[in-house]
Amino acid sequence: MAAAEAAVVSSSLIIDTAPVSEIAGTTAATAAAAVVAAAARTGAEPKVSKAAMATKLLSLSGVFAVHKPKGPTSAELLNRLKEKLLAEAGMPSPEWTKRKKQTLKIGHGGTLDSAARGVLVVGIGRGTKMLTSMLSGSKRYIAIGELGKATDTLDSTGKVTEEKPYDKITQEDIEGILQKFTGNIMQVPPLYSALKKDGQRLSTLMKRGEVVEAKPARPVTVYSISLQKFQPPFFTLELSSCASVLELTRTKQGPFTLEEHALPEDKWTIDDIAQSLQHCSSLLPADLALKKSKPEESNEQVLSCEYITLNETKGDDVIKTF
């Protein structure tokens, strides 16, 4: 009889999760795994319901990394990530509007300018509380500069303010001054930056034409600089000519690297992020490890989003919620 019943099982299996109280603390991920195993025995293709995915989304907690492309700001990228997760989970839906509300926190630690690309560390759930540690961690960049042109923003997005010849600058000239940029140095932050004055970015104030005073120099430690390639007018550091940054890529932030840990946009799914959280948890110091949370009293909750952004302003770090 059992064999006969198994023979008529549909080729598509839709799973809906019960409230946590009914499944005695079984997590959404465990329930989904059990369904996949059952589907494998019957030859069915598992199809997890939106409610199950929403429950799994609410359970995500930790720190992971995404690959930020050139173009969007860090905040815009976070919005894009949020929209993808909400769409996948089917949240919020009208049927949940009268039920208990639970906030899903999501934020990033360490702003990347819109013209830059690379590793952007993201915290989700209780992982947002770990983002401050990302600001104090080391970072690694690859910069490509262009000799002969200076811009008001110091990068390729600004207006050219000066042009000078560069034909006499050699690879040896560049390599000869690298030591000036290593060790403990005092660095004056550029006016076009994410640093803030009265709650507004300096770059925003500058674009409005407002007068902005330069922030005082602050200590920065540069562990090493190496010249990867020299093809005039392109180079990696500024010399006696004028120059601007053509490309900037952050290849490492804290323990997260661009090649190994940063999720490209096609991997911004609930399942891929859950796997990344598990993988990245081993990279964090023991004192930052997240403790296992107790099962929620009810699974009947609506998802809202809270955004947390940490600005890289030494001694003046700010957590913002939107």
Side-chain angles (χ1 to χ4, degrees), residues 8-309:
V8 295
V9 172
S10 170
S11 61
S12 179
L13 196 59
I14 300 178
I15 307 99
D16 215 335
T17 59
V20 174
S21 58
E22 294 182 18
I23 59 176
T26 301
T27 64
T30 303
V35 169
V36 172
R41 289 194 297 269
T42 61
E45 291 289 336
K47 183 177 181 181
V48 182
S49 72
K50 293 294 186 181
M53 296 307 295
T55 301
K56 186 171 184 178
L57 177 59
L58 286 171
S59 72
L60 297 181
S61 195
V63 178
F64 63 103
V66 297
H67 184 175
K68 177 196 170 301
K70 185 177 180 180
T73 65
S74 297
E76 289 170 346
L77 195 77
L78 204 65
N79 280 330
R80 187 186 301 175
L81 172 63
K82 176 263 303 183
E83 290 171 359
K84 282 181 171 290
L85 295 177
L86 287 179
E88 183 182 0
M91 302 285 293
S93 60
E95 62 183 290
W96 290 32
T97 56
K98 296 182 180 180
R99 301 178 181 178
K100 184 178 178 181
K101 182 178 181 180
Q102 175 175 325
T103 298
L104 174 70
K105 293 182 179 180
I106 185 169
H108 66 81
T111 300
L112 268 178
D113 290 340
S114 57
R117 59 182 291 268
V119 178
L120 184 67
V121 176
V122 176
I124 189 169
R126 290 175 295 126
T128 56
K129 297 180 180 180
M130 304 162 63
L131 291 175
T132 51
S133 65
M134 296 297 104
L135 295 177
S136 58
S138 63
K139 302 176 181 69
R140 183 183 299 148
Y141 297 85
I142 293 178
I144 298 176
E146 182 178 9
L147 284 167
K149 293 181 181 179
T151 67
D152 56 357
T153 62
L154 305 182
D155 61 24
S156 59
T157 66
K159 297 179 180 179
V160 176
T161 58
E162 187 178 15
E163 294 189 61
K164 287 184 177 181
Y166 57 86
D167 56 303
K168 293 184 179 181
I169 295 178
T170 66
Q171 180 171 336
E172 289 72 23
D173 292 330
I174 296 179
E175 293 174 336
I177 66 164
L178 291 182
Q179 292 183 353
K180 294 182 180 180
F181 294 90
T182 59
N184 297 318
I185 63 175
M186 296 299 293
Q187 184 185 76
V188 178
L191 293 179
Y192 281 87
S193 71
L195 299 184
K196 294 189 176 183
K197 176 186 177 182
D198 300 328
Q200 297 190 62
R201 289 189 175 191
L202 296 185
S203 58
T204 301
L205 298 176
M206 289 291 293
K207 290 175 182 178
R208 291 178 185 168
E210 299 185 23
V211 177
V212 178
E213 293 183 3
K215 292 280 187 178
R218 53 187 184 175
V220 173
T221 300
V222 180
Y223 297 104
S224 65
I225 298 178
S226 61
L227 182 63
Q228 302 293 317
K229 186 180 294 186
F230 182 66
Q231 293 180 333
F234 305 115
F235 77 118
T236 57
L237 293 173
E238 186 171 347
L239 290 174
S240 56
S241 178
C242 57
S244 57
V245 176
L246 192 64
E247 282 186 27
L248 183 65
T249 302
R250 182 156 68 195
T251 59
K252 182 177 181 292
Q253 182 176 357
F256 302 96
T257 65
L258 179 61
E259 183 177 348
E260 186 176 356
H261 306 110
L263 295 177
E265 190 164 353
D266 61 353
K267 295 290 185 180
W268 293 0
T269 68
I270 295 174
D271 285 339
D272 284 319
I273 290 175
Q275 292 177 15
S276 182
L277 288 172
Q278 184 176 8
H279 174 58
C280 292
S281 64
S282 62
L283 303 174
L284 302 174
D287 58 339
L288 291 178
L290 292 170
K291 296 180 179 180
K292 292 183 179 180
S293 58
K294 296 180 180 179
E296 301 290 343
E297 293 181 358
S298 173
N299 203 27
E300 300 179 354
Q301 298 158 335
V302 63
L303 180 66
S304 63
C305 288
E306 182 174 343
Y307 303 93
I308 298 180
T309 302

